[in-house]
Amino acid sequence: MKINVEINPAKNGQFSETFLCQEINGAQKKVQLNIAHFHSLYDFTKETSSTGFDFFLIAAIVYGTDDLLARKLYSYNGWTREIEIEFPVNNIDYWEPAIPQLEETLNFLTGDTWSIAFRQLEVKVLYLPKKKRWKSKIPEYNYSHIEFVSLFSGGLDSLIGVINMLNKIDNDNIGLLVSHFDPAYNGPKKDQNLILNEFYKNFVNRYKHIRATIGISQTYTNGDEITRDTNQRSRSILFIGIATYLLNKVPSSNTILIPENGTISLNHPLTKSRTSSLSTRTTHPYFFRKLQESLAIANLNVSLINPFNLDTKGKMVVECDNTVILQKTYPLSVSCGKRGHKTHWENRNAKQCGICMPCIYRRAALHKRGWDTDTYGNDLLSIRSIKDAKPDIRALFDYLGTSISLKDIKRNLLVNGSIEMSDLDAYAKLVHTSRVEILNWIRDKGNDQLKEILKIR
């Protein structure tokens, strides 16, 4: 599927109207890629011409395209899509040499085949600040006092990562927390706000928070409805694109912190059928490495760091630097990967499904502190028969109930994504430890029938 990107001159107080255009059954259709409330970013950067801005725009277009092209409509094998796109950029001479690396990065991230090119961005005025704004509404930033830049999603992992950094920050310095909000998936914004309300009480004057609002419209411009893909695999590159754009103004660091437990980053497959492109790779070490290579070729010196790449979620919870604040805020965070799919939830008032792998890792991790008390849409611990279990849970039971060696884990990790051989032993031990965390949680809290299914004594 070929996607054409149309960018029109900016209007007062708005980012340039941006459209993703495609041909469907001989007819041209386009959908708006909304980059709303851009002033929150522009107030910090004061520019739209840098290579960092280019990458922000590239990442936003990738995210919008990924959401627009539903796999059930546009894949040739039920999963993989062929996507052809030309990105408009200011600094084309920097980006053209990065095409092979960036294609490989996107292919790995989304499991598709991307064919990309670049063209000169002809629109010169991409954002027009409002002519009348109260000065008190325009934030001021002391860039030299920004000690770190971290992604802040509203999940438990990013919560712990930010708590650790804010807990040890120097009095005069601050952290910059970077978030994203898509109106079509509005849960994370509420999570972020609830946590920030607590941070405001406990970390006074220690951070600034900037949130970008980006997502495609609900319909094409002709009014036809859009079938979204909803997997959001490319959300991580959008997060990184936002942070890279802001990082241009930070003189003290070239690092973006991306807090994520190492187990979910590696995403060791539960079954052989879930290897390769079917396995999520949003924070996989290989994705980070290839993206850094792409950015370096484009003359962007950005270091992507996951401080928990060798930690299980349980270790993160137990070793958090400020247990008091974590205990106040962890119930406000959401880890669920299927929060919007409540059709089969027994408790639809819950915030999290309880049976996706992020939920399972969360519950097992919180159990290590005695904090596994949240309400979930479904309770894995109450399953009494394998017949009652949905396919995802059966896959989990197969994984937990089958003996697996470190050698097996290493082989699976290599099949699922390119791992540096020097890291392979440590990553295999990490997967083994996370598996033990789940089994210990079930051993301590599961019913007898569940323990019998998994042969737990």
Side-chain angles (χ1 to χ4, degrees), residues 40 84 89 103 192 282:
S40 62
E84 182 182 350
V89 293
E103 285 181 340
Q192 295 159 13
T282 53

Side-chain angles (χ1 to χ4, degrees), residues 62 66 71 79-81 83 105-114 231 233-234 237 277 281:
V62 167
D66 183 30
R71 280 180 164 80
W79 182 260
T80 306
R81 302 162 298 184
I83 303 171
T105 302
L106 295 176
N107 291 347
F108 182 83
L109 176 64
T110 70
D112 301 304
T113 302
W114 291 75
N231 74 84
R233 289 205 169 188
S234 58
I237 200 171
S277 63
R281 296 158 165 180

